[in-house]
Amino acid sequence: MLRQKHSAGRGQRLALAAAAVAAAGLVLAGALALLSWTGLLSFRGEEVVIDGDGVRLAATLALPRKGKGPFPAAVILHGSGPVIRRDLRAYGGRLAPDGMAVLMYDKRGTGDSTGTHRGFNPATCAEVHDELARDALAAVDYLRGRPDIDPQRIGLIGGSQAGWVMALAASRSDAVRFLVALAGPAVSCGRVQAYQLLTGVQGGQPSGLTLAENEAAVAAVEVPAGFDPAPLLAGLEIPVLWILAGEDANVPTRLTADVLEELRRGGRRNIQVEMLPGADHDLRHAVTGELVDPWPLMSVWLRREGMLDPPGGDWR
């Protein structure tokens, strides 16, 4: 039934869906940036270049103004749009005052980074995520080589598409010690695309159903899977925080939560799932448009997991 409904003009719909996902990634980055103007002066920025696998990534390392380290650190990953490091500056403004270094880089093929940017497409998402995961691990390796960074406390934080990419990167390297996903999917690329076709975020005609009903419709049919992060997440033993948006029309929140809760029931108690009620994919309230702040949840979790206030670190 789902396939019949969307069989006409499928190529055009897929193109529109890809453009919508890219735009959503940019809006999410912008919304996060607006959350913290006061913290922008609370870190010292250092411009660096990271040599990746066939690309050069232009980056900014935000270091806490207080102390000498070694600091815990986070590499910030991107949504599916052409995100540059300036779009991610709020991460530095929020985390650096807590004693965490933050590495932000222009996504490959954007800003001053080389390579080719490729947006969301279920047919190529495995290949694209492989590229982006290699970029993320190049950034992690760069941080590990710095004497002012604690190599035992380097993790990945990111929104939207980053949920897929972080799962892949963390599965490939023991150097990744924690993972935080914001409005990221834990279901396959195919399920995300099928959901977006029903919600109409790609600019097409929405189904008229509620988001929960759209998710139920997607769960009831077979779709081409594409890249699926669930088996990778099942193999992770590091702390994982997944913050979901309660009114997300881009990512099927309930299906994602079901996947994560099933992993927890299977023994992966290292995964914590939190919900931002009323928030849309851009972390704005779906009714009022006000920004919904994920930072308090993130800060408490990072402290609990020992990723802030590093023993022996001198940042106060």
Side-chain angles (χ1 to χ4, degrees), residues 64 66-69 71 96-99 303 308-310 313-316:
K66 296 182 180 180
K68 302 177 182 179
F71 303 110
D98 282 341
R303 290 185 185 280
L308 294 177
D309 302 338
D314 175 21
W315 64 272
R316 295 182 184 277

Side-chain angles (χ1 to χ4, degrees), residues 115-129:
T116 301
H117 170 261
R118 297 195 284 172
F120 171 70
N121 184 337
T124 60
C125 61
E127 181 182 347
V128 171
H129 295 161

